[in-house]
Amino acid sequence: LSAAAAGVRPASHRDLDRVTELWIALGGHHAAREPAFALRASADTLARRMLGARLGDPDTAILVHEDAGALTGLLIVRVDRAPEIQVERCRGEITDLYVREPARRRGIGRALAEAGAAWARERGAARIEVRVAAANPAANAFWRASGFAPFVDVLHRHL
Ligand SMILES: CC(C)(COP(=O)(O)OP(=O)(O)OC[C@H]1O[C@@H](n2cnc3c(N)ncnc32)[C@H](O)[C@@H]1OP(=O)(O)O)[C@@H](O)C(=O)NCCC(=O)NCCS
């Protein structure tokens, strides 16, 4: 077990304030790169409620990385069942990943992604997806270094 992997654990309701803070920081990271991701001023309250609901959802896992009592990373992963018409039964999706800036490039992102993938695999997923913004080159490099390859291009146009 790597030092980074040893710090990964499931979040609990006691972590909700700190998980919300990390999730809002991730939102800010995205909003700075793409206005479509901007959050409202009241986002904290709504995010706390949404994250609290996800903590109680058996199809979602919220994992954190803890280092000396401080939360340094957050990953949210879910499993979705495919429509019956498809051969694939279940797929995983990593919906959120954030590592605090001073803790980056120490393997924490990798450890969280591997733990999230293992969680989805245990629930029957044979494949896992992630959506990554084209305007986020570091994350694109991270996911490719973690074995992810292009799957669907989501194109958009401002109206
Ligand atoms: C993307 C992110 C989660 C990576 O976390 P991390 O803990 O720094 O990643 P790791 O240390 O596990 O990196 C694993 C490998 O990914 C690649 N990688 C990570 N960050 C990279 C960067 N900025 N540029 C190029 N490659 C990078 C490298 O191959 C790295 O291995 P190395 O450090 O031995 O070269 C982190 O940069 C982050 O939180 N960014 C802001 C939020 C974000 O973009 N989240 C992803 C949304 S889809």
Side-chain angles (χ1 to χ4, degrees), residues 88-142:
E88 179 173 69
R89 304 300 313 129
C90 175
R91 70 179 177 92
E93 181 177 3
I94 293 171
T95 58
D96 305 86
L97 173 65
Y98 186 72
V99 175
R100 284 191 202 279
E101 194 147 14
R104 288 181 194 161
R105 298 308 284 266
R106 285 198 232 144
I108 295 170
R110 171 73 56 85
L112 283 164
E114 289 306 323
W119 179 88
R121 200 183 301 116
E122 281 161 21
R123 270 147 199 86
R127 195 172 63 81
I128 190 153
E129 297 180 7
V130 65
R131 285 171 66 109
V132 52
N136 192 353
N140 272 285
F142 169 81

Side-chain angles (χ1 to χ4, degrees), residues 3-97:
V8 174
R9 64 167 173 83
S12 76
H13 280 277
R14 283 193 314 278
D15 300 310
L16 191 50
D17 286 337
R18 296 190 299 168
V19 164
T20 303
E21 195 248 303
L22 285 168
W23 193 88
I24 294 287
L26 172 62
H29 179 90
H30 280 121
R33 283 155 184 81
E34 166 54 59
F37 296 129
L39 299 176
R40 297 185 188 191
S42 57
D44 318 45
T45 314
L46 296 170
R48 194 178 192 285
R49 196 179 307 150
M50 180 268 296
L51 291 162
R54 287 203 207 167
L55 272 173
D57 173 5
D59 286 338
T60 298
I62 302 186
L63 305 180
V64 290
H65 179 269
E66 183 167 356
D67 187 3
L71 294 197
T72 42
L74 167 71
L75 174 135
I76 308 180
V77 56
R78 55 169 290 108
V79 286
D80 284 302
R81 268 147 273 281
E84 264 183 50
I85 199 162
Q86 291 187 353
V87 171
E88 179 173 69
R89 304 300 313 129
C90 175
R91 70 179 177 92
E93 181 177 3
I94 293 171
T95 58
D96 305 86
L97 173 65

